Amino acid sequence: MMSAPSHLIIAPILIPLLAGALLLFFEDRERRLKDAVSILTSAALVVVAAVLLFRTGADGGRIFVYLLGNWPSPIAINLVLDRLSAMMLLLTAVLALPALVFSIARWQRAGAHFHSLFLFLLVGLNGAFLTGDLFNLFVFFEVLLAASYGLMLHGSGQLRVRAGMHYIVINLAASLLFLIGVAMIYSVTGTLNMAHLAIVLQGLEGESRFMAEAGAGILGIAFLVKAGSWPLNFWLPTAYSAAAAPVAAIFAILTKVGVYVLLRFSLLLFGSEAASTGFGEQALFFVGMATILFGAIGILASQALGRLAGYSVLVSSGTLLAAVGFAQTGVTAGALFYLISSTLTLSAFFMLIELIARGQDPAADVLAVTMEAYGEGEEEKEEAEEVGVTIPETLAVLGVSFAACGILLAGLPPLSGFVAKFAMLTSMFNPDGVGEGVIRHSSWWLASFLILSGFATLIAMTRAGISAFWARIDGEVPRVLLVEMAPVAALLAMTVFLTIGAGPVMRFLEAAAADLHSPQAYIQSVMEAVQAVPHAREVLP
Amino acid sequence: MELLLSLSMGALAGSGVWLLLRPRTYQVIMGLALLSYAVNIFIFSTGRLRVNAPPIVEKGMEVDPAAFTDPVPQALVLTAIVISFATTALFLVVLLASRGLTGTDHVDGREPEK
């Protein structure tokens, strides 16, 4: 008998979907209500994701399969929850909550339906992490992209509309590539279920295999666009720096969706025991390295903080892509740690930038203009004071947070950015335990790129920090509210906890990486998933 | 029939890519539309082309699968059509907003310098 908690797997999709739809019935003027509902929703998501994470980690790791519509496997469209997807769900929820709290202060007022769009974005993200079906992955991608188009334009203004237009065109074109890839794979395998696909692919010969590999390659390009890999990423820094701060904060995880899918696919379909072993690994590795290089140069060349953060996103996804292409269990585990750490940091950094730039940047004027356009300009002053108290010693708090972001992004001790890079480097140079195994040629390259990109980040962050905090000519202190500072502090505190709890977290991630590298358990659980017995039939003998 | 379909897909995709790379927003949106038609026909054709074969099996009857066409691509293509229709509509709004804000229909929001 299926117990009720097994339905919890679909909760991360349903909760934000229902809440987001509900909020559409209320006018944007009911701000208190909308704030409350969406914050409660994301808090519920944190709880659900934590419970799911705990359950996947219990008794040596379990994989849960949820058959939608209760069709027999592998025909059923399924949701699959393993360690990796549970981790990504939790990360999404943990990013969403601070971004929503941050938006209370002013940003949600800069446009229509902010909360609904934000919650629909969460639907798409959670769905993409949970689904075990290729076409459903496409649908959830479109859900998250459609919501992200709306959020990208949130706050309007010429800059955002222009950057948003490029963002939309690129992603529409990538979606078409996605469809072509799916269609090609379906035409030779006759299945869209990812686990079933892994089995069918092993039996393919000759032209059919060639067709399937070509399809996978096209699919890979679509995901590389989402992941922001060079040379498909010129839109990214502009788009991310133009987006409103809380939006950019949640966008920090969008590139990681592409990386997540690539990681799962390349190891599930072309892992060590599949037939076309190692297909695309080298390409991923080189593309990742090129992305790191491009991002590092971009970081050094950026003038504005927003663009610096945009290029940091590129460095982060480049590192992850190269680590995926490296295809070694230990490195994958380290990369997952890096994924968590860098996403939290970037999210905090995007919000922090807006606070720092407030006193000195034309972006604040743009916001004021759009607020006027929405007819909220006059009451803005009193409202702002209602929301929270201004924190004293603003510059000191901002400065400390900025320094923490710099340390995290550059990967210096003592924070989690260092732990992540250290974990990756250690596994690279000790492939089979400490001092054992042959060190691959590519290890040296990846190691030097990791360290050099960290160094470039350090230089750029130091320079930006000096000009933002020590060399301010206008001497104006930005006015920062507690509700705006608290989310940044919370995200940074999480990286501190991540550093302190690095042992248990790393053990969990090593298990997740081991699951990924030997996907038999995943395939088996999906193929042998039992249908739920309908209640009516259950009572009969 | 295969030849006709491939040629039309090729023509649609080729024109679509060319238009997508043009500098005017209207050309870009037409390019995206043509590309999505090409992709939709491609998805449809992955179920193999059959004439006079229904996709839906009637309930309770013994059936010979060979007499039926594959229903999955047809379902996929419906979903893909709906999604591309919706995103095109959304892009149209952005296009108009950009035209209103910048006063030009160039994709970069300003006319290239002569």
Side-chain angles (χ1 to χ4, degrees), chain A residues 199-221:
Chain A
I199 297 174
V200 176
L201 270 182
Q202 287 179 15
L204 285 184
E205 292 298 334
E207 284 176 5
S208 307
R209 140 143 329 153
F210 188 69
M211 184 82 164
E213 284 184 356
I218 292 178
L219 211 54
I221 291 175

Side-chain angles (χ1 to χ4, degrees), chain A residues 135 138-139 142 146 149-150 153 156-158 161-162 164-166 168-169 172-173 176 179-180 182-184 186-188 192 211, chain B residues 20 25 28 32 35-36 39 42-43 46 48 70 72-73 76 79-80 83 87 90-91 94-95 97-98 101-102 107-110:
Chain A
F135 199 77
F138 170 73
V139 174
E142 288 305 311
Y149 302 151
L153 299 168
S156 197
Q158 193 174 332
V161 169
R162 196 167 67 208
M165 195 160 67
H166 296 175
I168 294 174
V169 173
L172 287 182
L176 293 173
L179 278 176
I180 294 174
V182 170
M184 281 172 85
Y186 180 80
S187 70
V188 285
L192 291 167
M211 184 82 164
Chain B
L20 191 63
T25 45
V28 171
L32 281 170
L35 264 179
S36 72
V39 172
F42 179 67
I43 300 175
T46 55
R48 309 295 185 271
D70 189 347
V72 178
L76 300 190
T79 319
I83 289 177
T87 44
L90 186 118
F91 185 58
V94 180
L95 183 159
S98 165
L101 283 170
T102 62
V107 286
D108 285 334
R110 56 167 186 271

